[in-house]
Amino acid sequence: MSNEVVNNNVTSNPPPHNPRLESWKTFFKKLRKNKGAMIGGILILVFIIIALIGPHFAPYTQSETNYSVKLTGPTGDHWFGTDHHGRDIFSRIIYGMGITMWIGFSSVFISAIIGTVLGVVSGYYGKRTDAFIMRVMDILLAFPGILLALAIVSVLGPSIRNLIIAVAIFSVPVFARIVRGSTLAVKKLEYIDAVKALGATDFRIIFKHILPNVTSPLIVQTTLSIASAILTASGLSFIGLGAQPPSPEWGAMLSDGRNYLYDAPHVAFFPGVMIVIVVLAFNIFGDGLRDALDPKMKA
C-alpha cells in the first residue's frame, strides 16, 4: 500500500518548469528549421576543425617549393595546382584557414569586449558619460571601416598583429551602439527598479540583470562581424598591408595570383573562392541566428 502511495505521488508531481531550458529548446528548434543557417553552421564547424588539425594532414608544407611544377593546374598530386614557386595551393589554403580564422575570431572578440563595456557604461549611466562615449563612436563611424583599418595599419605597419588591432578598432562602434540600445531598453524595465530598491549595486545589476538580456543581439552581431573582419583582413592583405609573404593568408595568396590570371588563373581562383565560401557561411549562419533569437518569430 505504501508503495502505491509513493508511486502516485511521483507520477502526480510533474518536473519543475525551467524557462531557460524551454527557451533554448525553442531556439534550437527554430534554428534547425532554417536550412541555410544549418548549412552555414556546419561549414563553420568544418572550417574550425580544418584550422585546428588540418596542417597535420596537409599533403605538403606551406613553404615547400618545387620549381619543376610551378604554375601547374589541378592534378592528382596537386588538387588545386601550384603557384609561381611550385608550392601546393591546396596545402597553403589549409594552412591559411588557421590564419583566417584566427584573424576573424580574435579581432571580433577584442572589439566585442571593448564595445560591450563601452555600450553598457554609456547606456546605464547616461548623461555626460553617454554623450562622451557616443561622440567618440560617431567619430569612428564617420570613416568607412576599410579606410579606418587601412589608416591604422599604415601607421602601425603591415603585420597580422596590427591587422587584428585595426579590424578590432573599426568594429568597436557597432558593438557599442547595439549594446547601448539594448541596455537603454532593459534599464527602463520595472524589475530593474525593484532590484535597485533592494539595494543591489550597479556592478550586480549590470552583470546579472542587464548583460544576460543583451546577449541575443550581441551573438548575432559577433557572427556577422567575423565575416566582415575576414573580408577586411583579406582586402588589406591583398594590397600588401596585412599578412606578408610567404604567409599563406588567403588575401596575400590572391594578390600573388593576380599576376597570373591569364596563364594560370587557378592561382587566384581557389583562394578567392575560399574567401567567398567562408564569408558566405558566417553571413547565412548569422542571419539564421538572428531569426532564431528573435522573440517575435514563432517556432
Side-chain angles (χ1 to χ4, degrees):
M1 183 67 179
S2 59
N3 291 334
E4 293 180 358
V5 174
V6 172
N7 291 335
N8 289 335
N9 289 336
V10 172
T11 56
S12 61
N13 294 330
H17 177 68
N18 190 334
R20 181 168 295 182
L21 180 61
E22 291 297 325
S23 64
W24 278 108
K25 287 182 178 179
T26 303
F27 163 71
F28 284 114
K29 184 177 180 180
K30 290 192 289 186
L31 188 62
R32 284 198 303 268
K33 288 186 176 182
N34 191 322
K35 294 181 179 180
M38 292 302 297
I39 293 174
I42 293 172
L43 285 175
I44 292 171
L45 182 60
V46 171
F47 295 152
I48 293 174
I49 294 174
I50 293 174
L52 293 175
I53 66 174
H56 298 288
F57 300 96
Y60 303 91
T61 63
Q62 61 178 343
S63 58
E64 184 176 347
T65 60
N66 184 359
Y67 287 96
S68 64
V69 294
K70 69 176 183 178
L71 299 178
T72 300
T75 62
D77 294 330
H78 303 281
W79 293 356
F80 290 175
T82 59
D83 63 6
H84 55 293
H85 290 297
R87 296 172 298 193
D88 183 63
I89 295 177
F90 178 72
S91 300
R92 286 176 59 79
I93 283 179
I94 291 177
Y95 279 93
M97 183 76 74
I99 299 175
T100 298
M101 290 295 167
W102 169 248
I103 294 173
F105 280 96
S106 59
S107 61
V108 172
F109 176 78
I110 294 171
S111 60
I113 294 297
I114 298 175
T116 299
V117 172
L118 293 177
V120 168
V121 171
S122 178
Y124 184 78
Y125 291 103
K127 298 181 181 179
R128 292 183 178 180
T129 302
D130 181 33
F132 174 76
I133 293 176
M134 286 300 103
R135 295 301 75 77
V136 174
M137 296 300 103
D138 288 340
I139 293 174
L140 294 178
L141 286 172
F143 299 92
I146 185 67
L147 292 182
L148 181 60
L150 180 63
I152 295 172
V153 174
S154 299
V155 173
L156 299 178
S159 69
I160 293 180
R161 183 191 64 181
N162 295 338
L163 182 62
I164 292 173
I165 294 173
V167 174
I169 290 176
F170 94 74
S171 301
V172 166
V174 178
F175 285 99
R177 283 193 168 275
I178 290 175
V179 174
R180 173 184 177 270
S182 300
T183 301
L184 289 174
V186 174
K187 187 178 70 171
K188 296 178 181 178
L189 299 178
E190 294 181 354
Y191 84 93
I192 298 295
D193 295 331
V195 171
K196 287 182 179 179
L198 293 174
T201 62
D202 292 344
F203 183 86
R204 180 178 178 82
I205 293 173
I206 289 174
F207 282 90
K208 188 172 180 62
H209 300 285
I210 292 182
L211 280 182
N213 288 284
V214 303
T215 52
S216 294
L218 199 59
I219 291 172
V220 174
Q221 184 57 43
T222 298
T223 307
L224 297 175
S225 293
I226 291 175
S228 177
I230 291 174
L231 196 59
T232 302
S234 299
L236 291 176
S237 296
F238 180 81
I239 61 177
L241 292 177
Q244 299 298 299
S247 171
E249 200 276 331
W250 295 344
M253 292 176 63
L254 189 62
S255 178
D256 290 339
R258 64 180 171 175
N259 298 320
Y260 307 96
L261 287 177
Y262 293 103
D263 299 328
H266 65 276
V267 179
F269 175 77
F270 289 107
V273 167
M274 289 305 303
I275 293 172
V276 171
I277 293 175
V278 171
V279 172
L280 183 61
F282 276 102
N283 278 329
I284 61 177
F285 183 65
D287 289 338
L289 283 179
R290 180 172 53 199
D291 295 340
L293 291 170
D294 189 353
K296 298 178 181 179
M297 297 189 66
K298 303 299 182 182

